[in-house]
Amino acid sequence: MDSPAVSSIHFHNAHVLPEPDLFMHTPGGNRIPAHATILASASPVLENVIASNRVVKIHGVPDGAVTAFVAFLYSSRCTEEDMDKYGIHLLALSHVYSVPQLKQRCIKGLAQRLSTENVVDVLQLSRLCDAPDLYLKCVKLLRNRFKAVKETEGWKFLESHDPWLELDVLRLMGELEKRKRRVRKWREEERLYVQLSEAMECLEHICTEGCTEVGPYEVEVGRQKTPCSKFATCQGLQVLIRHLGTCNRKLKGGCLRCKRMWQLFRLHSSICLCQNSCKVPLCRPNSNS
């Protein structure tokens, strides 16, 4: 039986297309009339098949997926409805018949439709269809929702029938988690570096120009002074410096705030490039004068 869906496509283009010269046979026994030149131009695999046979049999997918596949070969379009219903099947067909434009459309569409229920099926197909980007997205979803996914029938089937893929997925999940921890550590180190860099700038500013509460002897400071651009950091340093000058526990080495301030002084001393002109306490040029 001829497919009515594709017949309508031919009817729409009847004024420019000749009569169909071959048939696509679906698993359900339907026949879809088509044009050899159009199929050959869209798929090198179909071009080779058509060269020796005017009947193309497609197996293993629903009839509707075959209809959507042929419609794409004619129009280079795939509706959202077809992607919802046949996305997985269309990815398989696009890979088998080497239709890269449809394959990219399916990869994008399936990635947007990934869920706990379908991720294992998409994962297996993405590996078979050489779609590494989609495969990685599946692994990321598995990592984020693994407790839910491992309760699905898809994951239980994978455990029983494809242990090598299961091991590969678990390995990738572990590598992604390690990478995530490395990125988190790197961002934390970067944040700490920025904070310390700003603290060094503010310490030099306080000891050279003075801020609202603390400054060198020759500089008048007070609340009326306009706060600097990094006042939040400067304010914290001023509190620590004022505490350092009045704390009695520092003599016994038991005050954490005093230790923090001494550490900042030592850090500044280790990176200061001034030559006998730095006013920050404990700076090496100062200590040698």
Side-chain angles (χ1 to χ4, degrees), residues 226-245:
T226 303
C228 63
S229 60
K230 297 183 176 70
F231 184 67
T233 302
C234 269
Q235 179 67 5
L237 281 175
Q238 289 181 105
V239 170
L240 284 177
I241 293 172
R242 289 172 66 88
H243 170 81
L244 182 66

Side-chain angles (χ1 to χ4, degrees), residues 21-216:
D21 52 1
L22 62 82
F23 289 95
M24 307 280 284
H25 285 225
T26 71
N30 289 319
R31 297 191 313 164
I32 302 175
H35 298 83
T37 53
I38 291 179
L39 300 191
S41 65
S43 165
V45 176
L46 285 174
E47 182 180 17
N48 291 332
V49 173
I50 292 167
S52 58
N53 196 340
R54 290 291 164 166
V55 175
V56 180
K57 295 181 180 180
I58 296 181
H59 305 283
V61 297
D63 287 14
V66 181
T67 300
F69 177 64
V70 175
F72 184 89
L73 299 181
Y74 275 81
S75 66
S76 296
R77 293 190 181 90
C78 180
T79 67
E80 293 298 318
E81 182 181 359
D82 284 340
M83 188 58 61
D84 289 336
K85 290 182 179 179
Y86 309 117
I88 289 179
H89 308 293
L90 289 171
L91 176 59
L93 290 171
S94 69
H95 178 71
V96 170
Y97 292 102
S98 298
V99 186
Q101 189 177 355
L102 177 59
K103 186 173 182 178
Q104 289 303 313
R105 173 73 176 87
C106 291
I107 289 172
K108 181 179 179 181
L110 288 173
Q112 294 171 344
R113 291 164 172 81
L114 277 180
S115 68
T116 300
E117 294 300 323
N118 72 9
V119 65
V120 175
D121 292 334
V122 177
L123 175 85
Q124 293 174 300
L125 185 63
S126 63
R127 184 180 66 160
L128 294 173
C129 293
D130 190 25
D133 291 344
L134 183 58
Y135 186 85
L136 186 58
K137 283 183 171 65
C138 291
V139 173
K140 288 181 178 179
L141 187 143
L142 274 165
R143 183 195 64 192
N144 295 333
R145 305 183 193 173
F146 187 63
K147 287 185 179 180
V149 172
K150 71 179 183 179
E151 299 300 325
T152 63
E153 291 300 318
W155 182 261
K156 292 174 182 176
F157 181 88
L158 184 68
E159 286 181 311
S160 302
H161 295 83
D162 199 344
W164 291 111
L165 178 57
E166 178 193 5
L167 286 174
D168 186 52
V169 170
L170 293 174
R171 178 185 60 80
L172 277 174
M173 286 169 59
E175 290 179 359
L176 286 172
E177 186 59 34
K178 288 179 182 177
R179 184 185 178 199
K180 186 177 179 180
R181 287 197 295 266
R182 286 198 302 269
V183 170
R184 191 185 303 124
K185 182 180 178 182
W186 176 80
R187 286 177 177 170
E188 179 62 24
E189 290 174 349
E190 184 181 41
R191 184 183 66 82
L192 181 61
Y193 173 80
V194 171
Q195 289 179 341
L196 287 174
S197 178
E198 188 170 294
M200 292 299 98
E201 291 181 23
C202 290
L203 182 61
E204 188 171 346
H205 157 67
I206 290 170
C207 296
T208 304
E209 305 168 2
C211 202
T212 56
E213 298 179 18
V214 179

